Amino acid sequence: MSSIEIEINGASQKIASGSTLIDVIKVLSLPEQGCVFSINNTIVAKSKWTTTSLKSGDSISLFQAFAGG
């Protein structure tokens, strides 16, 4: 299977071509709860993680919500 190169929070990462955002989240053990992902500066709704295919050169940013007081 061929691979593509993407960037996650500034770090280069190779993934299988045809991967969706949820595939990457699971393979890389990224947190799902309390997180927001953007691809190329566009936020992706959690409901679209399973259908959002990644392309070579995509830049993913992960933002985590922190609760505190």
Side-chain angles (χ1 to χ4, degrees):
M1 179 174 235
S2 63
S3 64
I4 61 171
E5 193 164 316
I6 61 171
E7 189 176 279
I8 301 176
N9 288 348
S12 183
Q13 182 74 43
K14 285 195 178 203
I15 61 168
S17 63
S19 293
T20 62
L21 182 56
I22 196 69
D23 294 332
V24 172
I25 291 168
K26 289 181 178 179
V27 167
L28 299 178
S29 299
L30 298 173
E32 291 182 50
Q33 293 299 104
C35 289
V36 174
F37 289 90
S38 76
I39 299 175
N40 303 324
N41 297 317
T42 301
I43 292 181
V44 180
K46 190 169 186 174
S47 62
K48 296 189 182 212
W49 289 1
T50 58
T51 58
T52 301
S53 295
L54 298 170
K55 302 179 298 298
S56 185
D58 279 347
S59 179
I60 298 173
S61 297
L62 163 63
F63 303 94
Q64 290 182 277
F66 293 97

